[in-house]
Amino acid sequence: MLKGVTCRQSYSYSSTASRHLQRAFPTSSTYSLRPTSRPLLHATHKHYSTTAEWPYIYRREPSPTMAPQLDSYFKTVDDLSDHFIGRLRDAVAIPSISAETERRGDVVKMGMFLKSQLEALGAYMEARPLGRQPGKDIDLPPAIIGRYPAKKDDTKRTVLVYGHYDVQPADVTDGWNTEPFKLTIDKNDRMWGRGSTDDKGPVLGWVNVIEAHKKAGVPFPVNLLMCFEGMEESGSEGLDDFITAECKPGKFFADTEAVCISDNYWLGTKQPCLTYGLRGVSAFGIEISGPKSDLHSGVYGGTVQEPMTDLIRVMATLVDGDGKILIPGINELVAPMTEDEKSLYKDIAFSVDEYQEGIGAKTTIFPDKENTLQHRWRYPSLSLHGIEGAFSGEGVKTVIPRKVVGKFSIRTVPDMDLQKVTDLTVAHCNSVFKKLGSKNTAKTECLHDGRWWLASPRHWNFTAAAKATEKVYGVKPDMTREGGSIPVTLTFEEGTKKNVLLLPMGTGTDGAHSANEKLDKRNYIEGVKLLGAYLHYVSEEPMN
Amino acid sequence: MLKGVTCRQSYSYSSTASRHLQRAFPTSSTYSLRPTSRPLLHATHKHYSTTAEWPYIYRREPSPTMAPQLDSYFKTVDDLSDHFIGRLRDAVAIPSISAETERRGDVVKMGMFLKSQLEALGAYMEARPLGRQPGKDIDLPPAIIGRYPAKKDDTKRTVLVYGHYDVQPADVTDGWNTEPFKLTIDKNDRMWGRGSTDDKGPVLGWVNVIEAHKKAGVPFPVNLLMCFEGMEESGSEGLDDFITAECKPGKFFADTEAVCISDNYWLGTKQPCLTYGLRGVSAFGIEISGPKSDLHSGVYGGTVQEPMTDLIRVMATLVDGDGKILIPGINELVAPMTEDEKSLYKDIAFSVDEYQEGIGAKTTIFPDKENTLQHRWRYPSLSLHGIEGAFSGEGVKTVIPRKVVGKFSIRTVPDMDLQKVTDLTVAHCNSVFKKLGSKNTAKTECLHDGRWWLASPRHWNFTAAAKATEKVYGVKPDMTREGGSIPVTLTFEEGTKKNVLLLPMGTGTDGAHSANEKLDKRNYIEGVKLLGAYLHYVSEEPMN
Ligand SMILES: [Zn+2]
Ligand SMILES: [Zn+2]
């Protein structure tokens, strides 16, 4: 699931990023549309794109050998669907909540479940220890890594897939309509349970892909490398260094030729998508301090300069109600919108009405689809999150806090240089505070930052995924970005130096991280087909 | 100890208050200074006032019978001092923390300890149940009320005294240098322990007064009514209605002629004071809401109007860094400063340097004593306390809160009408929000208010206390107000319709509510003399 913040400190990326940006929006492309004969599975053709901007290249002829292989594979997936659902039921029953240290045993149990399922199918698996959890007296859950087939076939491409086997906390009292750790399927074939869509369904998807190939007698099309972690919902502690190390020559992930991450969601509920961009995030704290301890506002109010007063006055200068960032120079760092890029947004399956329905309010800034998507994906935003050190409970506590830290973050986009973002932000806050003429002490700093990411959707990795999507769902996927960040994406890109694809299985209403998380049975079973077909198309794409 | 906020709803008090204000600062007064022959007990004469504004009236001649009686009483107090300290030790050992329901048994135990100590001295005592604690499945601790002598002497005046036998929470890990529930006396005769000064020392002071009179064979000078509560540190649940009912004709407190509350502190460490005024407090919440649930700032940032952005912009218009209230019309409600009143401040024992030392910072607004005291006591102030619903933890959580409530409060003073304060504040917030042009929803409301209080320091109740102070400490007390509120003061004033006096025992550095709370042995023992002498002077004051 999307991450709020990462600790990444990579400022020197803008030249590579610009290259990516250019590749992402080619001014011309050559391709042909391949007619599909597969019936639609509840999908609609509403947003079937035929514009020249379609950003992946089709081969002119379908592969002569592909069709019968996939048909046999798909049929086997359908035949095994109850078995696959049983596997998800077993996984959901393990409450592998990484945020709760008392559940660490369950997280490890889930990792071992995954490992043994894959070993039973003939994969080579390892559970790699990641050391102690920083600040806690407990081991991190292991990274479960593996290879299928167990012995590498040098004639085939090597694809690295990632997912996580830990889940968000869940308690039936949080508003769940079902037991969160008991997979419950309703009459609309929605499968309710914690982790169903985030991320146990997609992770087991890869297990199911292997099993269906075996049972169908279809040769496995690639060398599959796997990396499954158990701390994703708790900051992926320890994973970055591990991945970076294992991408080095001679190490486990060294032969990777493409990366596929299945840990995000369709934009809506009907239209599949491939995701090629993420915003970054730079989080800041403005700390203002005065007295050595909190003061009683009755005793001291009116006689001391209050840090809260200063802080609120500084925070009020950062952004306006329509989301315009007021820090001088920030908006100038953003790559200008080209006409080519602009034209991409009009065909995306997205409705502002549905967006407002999801939010439950008409408080959106823009009335139209294009502006809404652009400000979600390719323009920066600034959100004020809260204040540490101030009173935050119900009712009233008439305290003068001694030290308060205002927290806000800026979502960053191409071509924003993170160091410049920090420098401009700190300078602005310092300047505003200075003008207040306060005797208190102020310090603004970047607490964390993580770079934005933009992949080339013309890479064969995306082309393969697009073909697979069309094969399974009968529609071309929308090419989307996301407003949030998935830090491991950058880690894999930097470690492998290969193209990274985000290939979602679930829909935008699955409620990852909420009560009543679910995965539609259709998305799970068709998703297994999608992941398998993707590997087949990967094996046949020309390396361009 | 001072209260942040009360739920009192009395708006119709300003005419009485104006009368009080006039009486408080007479333009002329007739009195004579009575020379004292008592040696000073570590006190200094530094602030011995001789100005015409001295606000209480001395009798021209000392009472012919008073001196020998008090001398005998004082000597007995000194003789019993170890016994009195032992009594305080026993009381501190009972962790009567009203905020922790699992300590409720200890709170009740402390009430029963107090009751039995007084019964052993011949007082008539009752433990009155106050019902269930609202919102908790537990009984409130009883009000311990009593009368001494057990049978009323109709030839004597009747004084009602108040204190509380519950304490603030305390744990040695909070930074205590000693066990908080073990009274520990250091070489400087400071007695460390939770409740030593707030409020077990003063409460036991009344027990000691009775015992010393009995042991000295000095007739008790008044009818003493007692009201000791066990929920003061937790909002005095249930007490207001109880007091109001018991002040009615024929009820327990019906015969009260004056009230004395010993639950505040000297301004500094050396100069005793009597307190005749308190600020009120009106607490507000600005609630701004938009989406139906919290949003991920990566996914939604830049596309929705964020309640936090609006709230911060409204909060920034309430007060400036030098404490000036920016809500139009508020400052106009304040009674103008007269020359008479102004002259009162110059003789108060108070040092801005020491004040800054106490705060631990040089961030005070005013460089001089007079302005500092005036803005603490007789001018309003506005403090921003915090935001409910926003992120308040360490680190960063990149959330867009769905609903946030900004909390602030205004300390009110004569002649501010509370309804006008609320009306002006709500109108201002509404007007600022409207100018923002936001689609979010805003609502500002007064969450609680409690009226300011101003007593007449020329009343015989204050005169008696001033004489007692001079008798015991060898200096005239400073006449002070406090910036905070002690809601029970108003309850007693309204219930009895009699003069209420705040007569502190401890010093301004005792650290009530902090770790390392203490009471100086001197203040405890001299305090017992002070309370006893006060009752003697009460009995001799002409009723004016
Ligand atoms: Zn996830
Ligand atoms: Zn108290």
Side-chain angles (χ1 to χ4, degrees):
Chain A
M1 184 52 186
L2 294 181
K3 276 302 187 27
V5 152
T6 80
C7 298
R8 184 176 308 281
Q9 295 285 345
S10 55
Y11 296 113
S12 54
Y13 234 81
S14 52
S15 65
T16 314
S18 291
R19 240 174 26 242
H20 283 175
L21 189 67
Q22 285 156 21
R23 274 193 279 151
F25 306 110
T27 48
S28 70
S29 57
T30 55
Y31 64 94
S32 69
L33 289 171
R34 189 167 60 96
T36 175
S37 55
R38 287 200 73 252
L40 284 179
L41 288 153
H42 317 294
T44 72
H45 274 274
K46 198 164 64 175
H47 294 284
Y48 197 102
S49 175
T50 55
T51 68
E53 287 74 27
W54 187 249
Y56 61 87
I57 303 167
Y58 271 90
R59 296 158 64 108
R60 290 192 180 267
E61 300 300 327
S63 156
T65 58
M66 182 75 73
Q69 281 196 344
L70 278 181
D71 286 348
S72 166
Y73 168 71
F74 286 0
K75 186 177 178 307
T76 308
V77 171
D78 284 330
D79 291 346
L80 291 171
S81 61
D82 284 347
H83 173 59
F84 293 161
I85 290 167
R87 176 173 280 144
L88 182 59
R89 182 177 292 114
D90 292 345
V92 166
I94 304 170
S96 54
I97 304 170
S98 54
E100 299 173 359
T101 49
E102 67 274 22
R103 295 287 198 184
R104 189 56 48 91
D106 287 314
V107 182
V108 174
K109 186 178 166 193
M110 177 64 209
M112 293 305 132
F113 169 83
L114 186 57
K115 179 168 176 278
S116 67
Q117 294 273 311
L118 285 158
E119 280 169 343
L121 294 168
Y124 170 78
M125 303 301 299
E126 291 184 27
R128 290 285 192 92
L130 294 177
R132 301 291 274 179
Q133 182 168 353
K136 304 256 165 123
D137 193 25
I138 191 169
D139 278 341
L140 289 165
I144 304 294
I145 63 173
R147 190 165 55 224
Y148 184 86
K151 194 167 160 30
K152 190 186 173 195
D153 179 341
D154 285 326
T155 68
K156 291 176 178 166
R157 286 196 185 156
T158 300
V159 174
L160 170 57
V161 301
Y162 161 89
H164 61 90
Y165 61 83
D166 63 320
V167 296
Q168 283 278 321
D171 191 277
V172 73
T173 61
D174 297 339
W176 283 79
N177 298 323
T178 61
E179 283 294 329
F181 296 105
K182 180 169 178 287
L183 192 76
T184 308
I185 307 177
D186 69 15
K187 63 182 192 312
N188 295 317
D189 280 346
R190 301 194 194 291
M191 306 190 295
W192 304 93
R194 174 56 87 216
S196 54
T197 197
D198 181 21
D199 190 32
K200 288 178 176 176
V203 164
L204 296 184
W206 296 113
V207 182
N208 300 341
V209 164
I210 294 172
E211 186 171 21
H213 274 85
K214 286 187 72 152
K215 295 247 164 95
V218 174
F220 205 74
V222 299
N223 294 297
L224 192 71
L225 292 174
M226 292 166 273
C227 179
F228 302 124
E229 70 156 316
M231 280 297 280
E232 199 275 348
E233 303 294 5
S234 300
S236 293
E237 298 275 12
L239 193 73
D240 269 20
D241 291 346
F242 172 76
I243 290 172
T244 304
E246 293 301 327
C247 288
K248 295 232 153 69
K251 303 295 252 177
F252 206 90
F253 303 146
D255 297 337
T256 303
E257 290 169 283
V259 181
C260 177
I261 297 175
S262 193
D263 187 23
N264 68 322
Y265 308 93
W266 294 357
L267 190 53
T269 57
K270 292 178 181 158
Q271 175 71 13
C273 65
L274 309 181
T275 304
Y276 67 95
L278 298 166
R279 292 197 291 190
V281 61
S282 296
F284 295 89
I286 309 172
E287 178 187 301
I288 300 189
S289 57
K292 74 175 171 192
S293 53
D294 287 358
L295 302 177
H296 187 293
S297 70
V299 179
Y300 294 94
T303 66
V304 296
Q305 295 189 327
E306 304 186 13
M308 264 296 274
T309 306
D310 292 343
L311 178 63
I312 294 287
R313 289 161 80 83
V314 175
M315 288 177 83
T317 69
L318 297 171
V319 62
D320 78 10
D322 284 334
K324 190 182 172 203
I325 297 175
L326 304 176
I327 300 168
I330 290 286
N331 294 310
E332 286 72 12
L333 301 177
V334 178
M337 173 84 82
T338 63
E339 284 305 311
D340 280 329
E341 186 192 346
K342 207 172 196 170
S343 66
L344 276 180
Y345 293 93
K346 70 174 188 298
D347 290 318
I348 305 274
F350 179 83
S351 145
V352 173
D353 285 347
E354 280 174 19
Y355 193 60
Q356 289 181 335
E357 247 172 65
I359 294 166
K362 301 275 184 191
T363 58
T364 48
I365 295 172
F366 304 100
D368 62 309
K369 173 173 86 175
E370 286 81 353
N371 262 300
T372 299
L373 288 178
Q374 287 163 15
H375 283 83
R376 192 178 180 185
W377 293 349
R378 70 94 61 215
Y379 284 118
S381 63
L382 190 156
S383 296
L384 306 173
H385 306 303
I387 298 172
E388 179 185 344
F391 173 65
S392 59
E394 287 178 41
V396 181
K397 185 181 172 191
T398 54
V399 64
I400 299 174
R402 60 174 280 268
K403 182 173 87 170
V404 282
V405 189
K407 308 284 178 66
F408 65 98
S409 68
I410 300 175
R411 295 283 161 179
T412 55
V413 297
D415 295 325
M416 296 171 82
D417 179 274
L418 299 201
Q419 188 60 54
K420 278 188 191 152
V421 170
T422 294
D423 292 348
L424 289 166
T425 303
V426 170
H428 171 76
C429 294
N430 287 346
S431 152
V432 172
F433 179 75
K434 198 173 171 197
K435 277 185 209 136
L436 294 180
S438 171
K439 295 169 193 161
N440 290 317
T441 305
K443 185 178 71 180
T444 300
E445 60 181 353
C446 178
L447 301 175
H448 302 286
D449 57 10
R451 206 176 60 82
W452 43 268
W453 169 76
L454 196 66
S456 166
R458 297 189 66 201
H459 189 276
W460 54 259
N461 196 26
F462 278 81
T463 308
K467 288 181 180 174
T469 303
E470 194 169 356
K471 176 81 177 163
V472 171
Y473 286 105
V475 291
K476 289 186 167 51
D478 276 342
M479 301 304 291
T480 63
R481 301 201 209 176
E482 290 209 1
S485 58
I486 304 176
V488 79
T489 310
L490 276 167
T491 309
F492 280 120
E493 184 181 271
E494 290 167 9
T496 63
K497 310 275 190 287
K498 303 294 180 186
N499 182 278
V500 180
L501 157 75
L502 303 187
L503 180 56
M505 174 182 275
T507 80
T509 57
D510 282 355
H513 294 207
S514 308
N516 301 313
E517 175 181 346
K518 59 92 175 162
L519 175 63
D520 292 352
K521 182 178 164 187
R522 173 206 180 206
N523 280 63
Y524 183 51
I525 300 304
E526 299 309 303
V528 173
K529 296 178 189 170
L530 176 70
L531 299 180
Y534 157 70
L535 298 180
H536 279 266
Y537 288 109
V538 159
S539 74
E540 303 213 337
E541 279 302 304
M543 280 229 185
N544 57 347
Chain B
M1 184 55 186
L2 294 182
K3 276 301 185 33
V5 152
T6 78
C7 300
R8 186 176 307 281
Q9 296 283 348
S10 55
Y11 296 111
S12 55
Y13 234 80
S14 52
S15 65
T16 315
S18 292
R19 240 173 27 242
H20 282 173
L21 189 67
Q22 285 156 21
R23 273 192 281 151
F25 308 109
T27 47
S28 71
S29 57
T30 55
Y31 64 94
S32 71
L33 289 173
R34 190 167 59 96
T36 175
S37 56
R38 290 200 72 255
L40 284 179
L41 288 153
H42 318 293
T44 72
H45 273 275
K46 200 163 63 174
H47 295 282
Y48 196 102
S49 173
T50 55
T51 68
E53 287 74 28
W54 187 247
Y56 62 87
I57 304 165
Y58 271 90
R59 295 159 65 107
R60 290 188 181 270
E61 301 298 328
S63 156
T65 57
M66 184 74 73
Q69 281 195 344
L70 278 181
D71 287 349
S72 165
Y73 168 71
F74 286 0
K75 187 178 176 306
T76 307
V77 172
D78 284 331
D79 292 346
L80 291 171
S81 62
D82 284 347
H83 173 61
F84 293 160
I85 291 166
R87 177 173 280 143
L88 182 59
R89 182 177 292 114
D90 293 345
V92 166
I94 304 170
S96 53
I97 303 170
S98 53
E100 298 172 0
T101 48
E102 66 273 22
R103 294 287 198 186
R104 187 57 47 89
D106 287 315
V107 181
V108 174
K109 186 179 168 192
M110 178 62 209
M112 293 306 132
F113 169 82
L114 186 57
K115 179 167 176 277
S116 67
Q117 294 272 310
L118 285 158
E119 280 170 342
L121 293 170
Y124 170 79
M125 302 301 297
E126 291 184 28
R128 289 286 192 91
L130 295 177
R132 302 292 274 179
Q133 183 168 351
K136 304 254 166 128
D137 193 26
I138 192 169
D139 278 341
L140 289 164
I144 304 295
I145 63 173
R147 192 165 55 224
Y148 185 86
K151 194 167 159 28
K152 189 185 174 197
D153 180 341
D154 284 327
T155 68
K156 291 174 178 168
R157 285 193 186 160
T158 299
V159 174
L160 170 58
V161 301
Y162 161 89
H164 61 90
Y165 61 83
D166 64 319
V167 297
Q168 283 277 322
D171 191 280
V172 73
T173 61
D174 297 338
W176 284 80
N177 298 322
T178 62
E179 283 293 330
F181 296 105
K182 180 169 179 285
L183 193 76
T184 308
I185 307 177
D186 70 15
K187 64 183 193 310
N188 296 316
D189 280 345
R190 300 193 195 292
M191 306 190 293
W192 304 93
R194 175 56 87 216
S196 54
T197 197
D198 181 22
D199 189 34
K200 288 179 176 176
V203 165
L204 296 184
W206 296 112
V207 182
N208 300 338
V209 164
I210 294 172
E211 186 171 22
H213 275 85
K214 287 187 73 155
K215 296 250 164 94
V218 174
F220 206 72
V222 300
N223 294 297
L224 192 72
L225 291 174
M226 292 166 273
C227 178
F228 301 124
E229 70 156 315
M231 280 297 279
E232 199 275 346
E233 304 294 6
S234 299
S236 293
E237 298 276 14
L239 194 73
D240 269 20
D241 291 346
F242 172 76
I243 291 172
T244 304
E246 293 300 328
C247 287
K248 295 230 152 66
K251 303 295 251 175
F252 208 90
F253 304 146
D255 296 338
T256 303
E257 290 169 283
V259 181
C260 177
I261 297 175
S262 194
D263 187 24
N264 69 320
Y265 308 94
W266 295 356
L267 191 52
T269 58
K270 292 178 180 158
Q271 176 71 15
C273 66
L274 309 181
T275 304
Y276 67 95
L278 299 165
R279 292 198 289 191
V281 63
S282 296
F284 296 89
I286 309 172
E287 178 187 301
I288 300 188
S289 57
K292 72 175 171 191
S293 53
D294 287 358
L295 301 177
H296 187 294
S297 70
V299 179
Y300 294 95
T303 66
V304 296
Q305 294 191 327
E306 303 186 13
M308 265 295 276
T309 305
D310 293 341
L311 178 63
I312 294 287
R313 290 162 80 83
V314 175
M315 288 177 83
T317 69
L318 297 171
V319 62
D320 78 10
D322 284 334
K324 191 183 170 204
I325 297 175
L326 305 176
I327 300 167
I330 290 286
N331 295 308
E332 286 72 11
L333 301 177
V334 178
M337 174 84 82
T338 64
E339 284 306 310
D340 279 330
E341 187 193 344
K342 207 172 197 170
S343 66
L344 275 179
Y345 293 93
K346 69 174 192 299
D347 291 319
I348 305 275
F350 179 84
S351 145
V352 173
D353 286 347
E354 281 175 17
Y355 193 60
Q356 290 181 334
E357 247 171 64
I359 294 166
K362 302 276 185 191
T363 57
T364 47
I365 296 171
F366 304 101
D368 61 309
K369 174 173 85 174
E370 286 81 353
N371 262 300
T372 299
L373 288 177
Q374 287 163 16
H375 282 83
R376 193 179 179 184
W377 293 349
R378 70 95 59 217
Y379 284 118
S381 63
L382 190 156
S383 296
L384 306 174
H385 306 302
I387 298 172
E388 179 186 344
F391 174 65
S392 59
E394 288 178 40
V396 181
K397 183 181 172 191
T398 55
V399 66
I400 298 174
R402 60 173 280 268
K403 182 174 87 171
V404 284
V405 189
K407 309 284 179 70
F408 65 98
S409 68
I410 300 176
R411 295 284 162 177
T412 55
V413 297
D415 295 324
M416 295 171 81
D417 178 273
L418 299 202
Q419 189 59 54
K420 279 187 189 152
V421 170
T422 294
D423 292 346
L424 289 166
T425 303
V426 171
H428 170 76
C429 293
N430 287 346
S431 152
V432 172
F433 179 76
K434 198 173 170 196
K435 278 185 207 134
L436 294 180
S438 172
K439 295 170 194 161
N440 290 317
T441 305
K443 185 179 71 182
T444 301
E445 60 180 354
C446 178
L447 301 175
H448 302 285
D449 57 10
R451 207 177 59 83
W452 43 268
W453 168 76
L454 197 66
S456 167
R458 294 189 68 203
H459 189 277
W460 55 259
N461 196 26
F462 278 82
T463 309
K467 288 181 180 174
T469 303
E470 193 167 358
K471 177 79 177 166
V472 171
Y473 286 106
V475 291
K476 289 185 167 53
D478 276 343
M479 301 304 291
T480 64
R481 300 201 209 176
E482 291 208 358
S485 57
I486 304 176
V488 80
T489 310
L490 276 167
T491 309
F492 280 120
E493 186 181 88
E494 290 167 8
T496 64
K497 310 275 190 285
K498 303 295 179 185
N499 182 279
V500 181
L501 157 76
L502 303 187
L503 181 56
M505 174 182 274
T507 81
T509 57
D510 282 354
H513 293 205
S514 307
N516 301 313
E517 175 181 347
K518 59 91 175 162
L519 175 63
D520 292 353
K521 182 177 165 186
R522 174 208 180 205
N523 280 63
Y524 183 51
I525 300 304
E526 299 308 304
V528 172
K529 296 179 188 170
L530 175 70
L531 299 180
Y534 157 70
L535 298 181
H536 279 266
Y537 287 110
V538 159
S539 74
E540 302 214 338
E541 279 302 304
M543 281 229 185
N544 57 347

